[in-house]
Structures are given as C-alpha cells and as structure tokens.
Amino acid sequence: MKKYLPSVFLNPISMAGAFLAALSFGLILFLIALDLFAKESSPYIGILAFVILPMFLILGLLLISFGAYKERQRRKQGDASIREFPIVDFNNPKHRFAFTAFVAITVVFLVFSAFGSFKAYEYTDSDEFCGTVCHTVMEPEYTAYKDSPHSRVGCAKCHIGSGADWFVKAKISGSYQLYSVTFNKYSRPIPTPIENLRPAQQTCEQCHWPKHFYSEKKLDREYFLPDEKNSRESIKMLIKIGEGKTDEGVRSGIHWHVNDANEIYYGSDKSRQNIPYVVWKTKDGKEEIFQSTNVAKNVIDEAKKEMRRMDCLDCHNRPSHIYHQPDQEVNHAISMGLIDRSLPFIKTVAVDALEKDYANKAEALSSINDYISTFYSGNYPQVAGSKAQSVSQAIAAVQKLYGRNYFPEMKADWKHYPNNIGHLYYDGCFRCHDGQHKTSSGKIINNKCESCHTIIAQETPKTGKRMDVDGLSFVHPGELSGSVQNQKCTDCHGVNKSKLAKATE
C-alpha cells in the first residue's frame, strides 16, 4: 500500500488530532453553507463558524504535530518499531462488522454534531439568551427592551448586526463582561456601551430612512398637577420631524441634522452629554465652527479628541432600553384610568413613592403599599374607607410602574440613563441648542422653540382652552412664582433640580 505521509504520523495522538481537525473543518463548512442559504443572515453564526470551531481545528492540527514529535522521540530512545495502519479485510466478518459499525457511529455523530451546532447557534441568537442566560445582570435592559417600540427586533440585530468582523469585535469586547459577571466585578448600573455601537447607517437605517421623514407629527400630552384635585392640563403640538430629503432643498426640521447635504461633527466628553464644540460642513465646502461660551478652552480642546459625525443615535440614544420618568408615567396612568384621579394628591403621592430610595425591589413594593395606604388613612380616612378599591388599584399601578422602570439592585433608573430625545428631563437638544454655542463672528446655533415644534392647542385651568393652527405661545402648567424665561427645562424637571425648581414646588 502506497504511503502518502511519513510513518511518524501513524500514532494515536496524531490520529485523534486528525479526526478532531476533520470534524471541525466539516462543521465549519456546514455552518457557512447554512448561512449562505438562510433567508436572513444571523450575526451569531460567527461564534461557531469563525470563533469556536476554528479553535478546535487548530487544536487538532497541533495534536497531529505533537503526536508526530512524540513518535519521533520514542524512536530516538531505541524503540525502532514502526506503527502501521490496521489491516481491514472485508472478507473477514469481524472486520466487516467493525468497519460498518465505525462508519455508522461516525455518521450519526456528525449528524448530531451538526444539529447540535445549529441549535446552539440558534439559541445564542435569541433574545432570551442575551437577556437572561449569560447576561443576568442585564435584567433592567431586558425588561425595558420587552416593553419598547423595538421589542420585535432581535438584540443582535442592533448590538452586533451582520458580518463576522463586527461579531468578533463585539465578543472580544464582551470577554471582560463575562469575567466581571462571573466574579461579580461589574458596574452598577451597567454603563451604556457607547463606543462599541455600530454606525446608525448599518443598523437603524436598514429599516428607517431619514430621506423619507416628512412634515410634522402631532403630539398630544395630558398633565396632572401636584395639587389636591390633580388638576388636568393638556397640550397639542406639531413636531417638525423633516427635513431629511435634499431633492426639494434643505429646509427646517429635526432630521435636517442627518440630511446628506450636511455633515455635522461634534466634540464631546465620553458620555456625549456635554458638547462644547460643533462643526457644520456643507457639500459646497462651507464650514462653520460653533464653540460653547460657557466652558474653558482646555475643555473644548479635550472635547476635540472625541470628534464624531452626528447620526441617529446621538438623539435616539435609548431606542429600546427606555426608563421612563415618574412624573410622565403617573400622568399616563391617570390619563388611562389606571389610577383614580379623584384620589386627593394622588399625582404627588405616586411620584414620591416611586422616587424614594429602596435597597431592593421587594422592599420597594412593600414600602410603596405602606406609603400610599398610610397617606390616605392618616390624612383622608374617609377617602381610605369609601375608595378603598381605588386606593388598592392605585397601589398596584404604582408598583407596576416601579417594576418596569426601577431596579435598585443594579442602581438602574431614569436618573442614570439620559434620553436625548427632547429637552424636558435631560438636556438632549439643549446640549447644542442652548444659545451659547457661537462662531467667531457671533452666529448662534438656533435655539428658537418654533424651529422644532408648533403649539396648536393648550388647556389650563387658568387660561382655559386655546387653539391656533399658526402657533401659540407656551404657558407653563401650574402656578409658578418664579420666571421660567432663560431657563432650561431640566433646571426643574431634570435629575439635578435647581433652586428655581425648589422655589416653585
């Protein structure tokens, strides 16, 4: 029989390595073929085809070499016997049976290995895997995700996307996360992986196309004041979500920022919440630089080191993992009838119950029940008796809001995760549109309210119902003793309330 390999490879270790390498290579080919013929490409297929199985392939090749080395050493030590392949004689019933059994077992093993590989890849691609199995510390993010507008979009579609290169990058960056979870070294709350996110053009814009954002979007809001009657106020406005299209000229509108006739670059800190430096470039080569007049030059110089071109995620930075602000959530619950508005001060009581500090969720749910029950039994005993069911329903609703938006064990809630859409609870738009970003010639980044929205109707107990399709001036809800002119909304509604907020509460 003609031999194609040196006899030193005829040893158990090398043969085992050859089997492992051949099996791994066969499974790699199977998964690549599976990915090619699948209706949708999955980023998680790379964990098997391009990361795990190649490791076993390399191990098999190393075993082949190691076995040959050991065999050569054995011969140098005086054992001159040369191993031979076993002789298989198909005329011998025992040989024939042994060969048939070996082939059958090998085929079954390969089939089950292929099936197991596919099921493993399929499971690692699931949202359950991302949210509960390997990433148990991600309970806050997973809970928010399931209740988000993107709950039908798989985690991997946005966090990794297609292609093996981004998959490998994501898993390499996640290797420390695996260590930190295993040895309880992770941060509380988990920081947003801003620097590891793909450009929005490769994720968001696979479904959303900025060029086709037109005109205005109507927004209706109901507010309930923190008074005994939970007084109702409302506002209707048109949000100008255009103008991402250049065919008809560049006009005003929020998506002007991603219009392909513009290139907006900015320098910021690593959180992207403080932006002192902005560069606007146009296709004709025009460039304007806006710098904040509220920060020192060294801060601006440091911000320039983190320059980034603006895209969807600079405003829509919480598209799936949204922690709602308590005032907003309680307003919605009252509006939907989940909380009885006739309960005195229920707006204030509910928000206070949500915002208290609790050690864990069990303590929070128990304390919310005690706080609301005690408030009505101590201050409104008649209401506590006649509206006992409404009080219980309100408690259940507030507990549900807490479970959806607060995770004390992980220190995760709205205060730790800014949402850059709007400017009420977080600086958002006002990171740049604050009236303080100027060019050397004195030009200011537009900060006029009507640039982004038009108030077409507003109702308050004081002014009654007002309507004007051409736009109304804003009247702040409630009775305020101080002026709100030249103040940012976050001064009163944000995480760090100012003295003005305390003076008007």
Side-chain angles (χ1 to χ4, degrees), residues 10-54:
L10 301 178
N11 64 83
I13 297 177
S14 294
M15 298 302 293
F19 177 77
L20 179 61
L23 177 63
S24 302
F25 185 67
L27 290 175
I28 289 172
L29 293 178
F30 167 76
L31 290 175
I32 291 175
L34 182 69
D35 190 43
L36 288 175
F37 291 101
K39 292 182 178 179
E40 291 187 11
S41 178
S42 170
Y44 267 98
I45 202 168
I47 195 171
L48 295 172
F50 302 112
V51 180
I52 295 179
L53 288 175

Side-chain angles (χ1 to χ4, degrees), residues 313-358:
L313 290 174
D314 291 305
C315 295
H316 300 272
N317 66 315
R318 307 296 299 180
S320 296
H321 309 293
I322 307 167
Y323 303 102
H324 298 288
Q325 199 271 350
D327 181 75
Q328 184 184 71
E329 286 286 81
V330 174
N331 280 332
H332 181 70
I334 296 175
S335 179
M336 298 299 294
L338 301 175
I339 295 177
D340 187 352
R341 180 187 162 196
S342 67
L343 294 174
F345 286 109
I346 187 58
K347 169 67 183 296
T348 301
V349 173
V351 172
D352 287 347
L354 289 170
E355 283 289 84
K356 290 184 179 299
D357 291 327
Y358 304 108

